[in-house]
Amino acid sequence: MIRSATLLFLILLLLPGSVSATELTEGNFRRIRDFILPKPSECRWERIPWRTTLWKAVIEANQKDRPILLWAMNGHPLACT
Amino acid sequence: MQKLAAKFIPAADEVWRLQNRDDPECAFFQRFCDQGHYGGRKGTRQGIYCATPNGKLLASINTTHPGRMADMLRKALAAWKKIPKNERLWTENPEETPDQIQRGENLYPENGLVLKVHSRDLDRKDLPGDWRSEARNLDFAWFEQDEARDMLPEQAVRGAQHDWPAKLVHRLARFHLLDNVRGQTSPYKKRHLLEAKIRTEIVSVRKGIVQMKFVGTTRTSSSGTWPLDRAGRLSGSSESRGVQTRILGNATFDSNQNTWIQFELVATGIRWGGTQYNFRKDDLAPAPIGFAFLLAGDTPSERVAPAFLHAYRR
């Protein structure tokens, strides 16, 4: 209960006027956009040519006689996990 | 790792569907997933699996540790070599596109607007020096061709202004302006939507090329009782979560070809609270967050369905 009250107080304190710390303007648009976007070092996993469905890999693996490597997550690993 | 992975046909896919549905793709996964690292217990089967084309498990693990991952791949390759060819392949080739396989990707909006949605914490100096300081996430936002056209005024002339239809801006606010930076979270329901508005202003029109800018605001908030950790434990107190943003953006539309040449939207603001799987239990206070929506390409990995596509029409 105390935590909820503290949180509510902080929310009331911060809404809606104090978003200025991250206020988006045309002047800082590009800087903020670039900060949000992934850096090359964060995209190394994309170098593996992941097939986007298990079934595509099953078809191809059967044709090529190769084992399947499946990365299965809650949420699609190539999108939101 | 890449050399090892090259010996396999690599695939990435969403596990809940594979685990719970009964089409041929899901049935294939269910042949071996219970023999893997999470076999014998309730809950998710997420992780990394190596299997033969006909569904025999070779090895599996759920780790982000490169060394353990490499060991698992080597173990899988050793097991693969021991299985005769006729025992690792299908006796009859599987169908390339069985009609029964129902995936969100089947609904990809050809000729529509597909955006890559990036999220990340902003301006934080108080984050712990671990993965949480670099956490980010990715999703896709889909708009059918006619929906995307509704982002523009009927008469695209310089200075014309137009408010996005409610269902489009609500889609962004409820399903995409979410605090998923550290992990999956839930979408917002209609009743959690307190404010959502995006206005388009035409900047220039030349030979059918329409340049525009966007400005908007959103605010979502919900409260109630829900767990804040993966174990599903309730704290005994009421929880609250929400996101408030200001939006700016710009885009270029080719009205001759009816295609988007460029599109970018940035939303910044604050988030507060947490949910069961988004790892905010230690970070509930209001803090800055940012989102960037950029035009996606047309590669297979950019045709993955939005996480909450199933809820778009609700």
Side-chain angles (χ1 to χ4, degrees):
Chain A
M1 186 62 79
I2 291 171
R3 192 184 68 199
S4 293
T6 307
L7 187 58
L8 183 61
F9 172 75
L10 285 167
I11 292 166
L12 290 173
L13 193 69
L14 287 164
L15 287 176
S18 59
V19 286
S20 57
T22 51
E23 184 94 30
L24 181 64
T25 65
E26 291 193 3
N28 64 17
F29 180 90
R30 284 186 176 187
R31 181 179 62 78
I32 291 176
R33 178 200 62 193
D34 292 346
F35 180 81
I36 296 167
L37 295 178
K39 316 297 175 278
S41 62
E42 295 175 311
C43 301
R44 281 182 291 216
W45 58 275
E46 291 178 3
R47 292 179 200 161
I48 293 174
W50 300 103
R51 280 50 166 184
T52 57
T53 73
L54 172 57
W55 198 249
K56 283 181 191 169
V58 170
I59 303 287
E60 190 176 342
N62 198 59
Q63 287 169 349
K64 295 181 176 173
D65 187 21
R66 299 249 296 273
I68 296 164
L69 166 60
L70 172 66
W71 181 19
M73 300 296 286
N74 292 313
H76 199 293
L78 304 182
C80 185
T81 58
Chain B
M1 187 69 75
Q2 285 180 51
K3 282 183 184 172
L4 272 171
K7 298 180 188 299
F8 296 81
I9 302 297
D13 210 337
E14 201 284 317
V15 78
W16 188 92
R17 181 185 151 274
L18 292 175
Q19 203 179 322
N20 291 286
R21 296 291 166 88
D22 57 5
D23 68 35
E25 188 174 42
C26 302
F28 179 84
F29 178 68
Q30 290 159 24
R31 281 186 207 174
F32 59 82
C33 71
D34 284 345
Q35 300 160 36
H37 48 279
Y38 287 154
R41 72 182 222 187
K42 288 184 179 176
T44 183
R45 294 288 182 267
Q46 72 176 348
I48 297 131
Y49 296 83
C50 296
T52 62
N54 66 357
K56 290 188 176 73
L57 183 71
L58 299 169
S60 80
I61 197 168
N62 189 18
T63 184
T64 55
H65 188 282
R68 285 196 279 273
M69 176 72 179
D71 286 346
M72 189 279 288
L73 295 179
R74 288 189 198 97
K75 184 180 161 189
L77 287 171
W80 168 260
K81 286 174 186 165
K82 289 179 187 169
I83 302 175
K85 186 173 178 176
N86 65 338
E87 291 179 25
R88 60 197 191 201
L89 301 181
W90 290 59
T91 47
E92 290 180 29
N93 285 337
E95 285 183 62
E96 296 236 353
T97 52
D99 294 338
Q100 309 98 302
I101 296 180
Q102 297 295 316
R103 302 186 57 98
E105 286 75 17
N106 299 349
L107 303 172
Y108 181 83
E110 300 289 351
N111 305 314
L113 176 64
V114 176
L115 302 175
K116 240 176 168 171
V117 190
H118 304 268
S119 59
R120 195 190 289 270
D121 288 339
L122 296 180
D123 300 340
R124 297 291 298 272
K125 293 185 171 47
D126 58 338
L127 291 173
D130 57 21
W131 67 273
R132 288 171 287 189
S133 64
E134 297 176 346
R136 65 177 186 90
N137 215 330
L138 169 69
D139 197 4
F140 292 90
W142 284 1
F143 298 93
E144 297 289 345
Q145 188 174 33
D146 57 341
E147 291 178 329
R149 182 62 183 77
D150 284 346
M151 295 173 183
L152 279 71
E154 206 161 306
Q155 298 293 324
V157 294
R158 187 180 170 188
Q161 296 189 348
H162 170 72
D163 288 336
W164 285 23
K167 75 169 185 177
L168 304 186
V169 64
H170 289 186
R171 183 177 302 169
L172 288 193
R174 291 177 55 206
F175 307 120
H176 295 291
L177 294 171
L178 299 173
D179 177 17
N180 56 18
V181 171
R182 294 182 183 179
Q184 283 186 321
T185 192
S186 312
Y188 288 101
K189 296 184 174 164
K190 277 182 186 169
R191 67 176 185 272
H192 302 143
L193 196 58
L194 304 179
E195 183 183 0
K197 185 178 176 182
I198 298 178
R199 176 168 288 181
T200 299
E201 181 179 344
I202 304 299
V203 175
S204 71
V205 183
R206 188 170 298 171
K207 295 182 178 174
I209 305 299
V210 183
Q211 291 193 305
M212 69 204 79
K213 59 184 183 182
F214 307 115
V215 59
T217 51
T218 67
R219 189 153 60 102
T220 44
S221 177
S222 73
S223 57
T225 304
W226 57 75
L228 290 176
D229 63 23
R230 296 165 77 84
R233 288 183 290 261
L234 293 170
S235 67
S237 61
S238 178
E239 308 297 343
S240 171
R241 70 175 179 122
V243 176
Q244 174 177 317
T245 71
R246 170 173 160 74
I247 295 171
L248 290 177
N250 57 79
T252 308
F253 182 72
D254 182 341
S255 62
N256 303 310
Q257 303 293 324
N258 222 8
T259 56
W260 295 86
I261 297 169
Q262 169 266 339
F263 192 109
E264 57 182 9
L265 205 69
V266 172
T268 67
I270 60 166
R271 49 130 298 253
W272 63 91
T275 51
Q276 185 171 4
Y277 299 109
N278 79 347
F279 293 93
R280 291 292 192 186
K281 189 178 180 182
D282 61 345
D283 192 26
L284 298 171
I289 191 169
F291 304 88
F293 297 74
L294 267 70
L295 200 60
D298 194 30
T299 65
S301 65
E302 291 167 294
R303 296 171 72 98
V304 171
F308 298 115
L309 176 68
H310 59 281
Y312 266 17
R313 296 188 190 281
R314 285 183 201 160

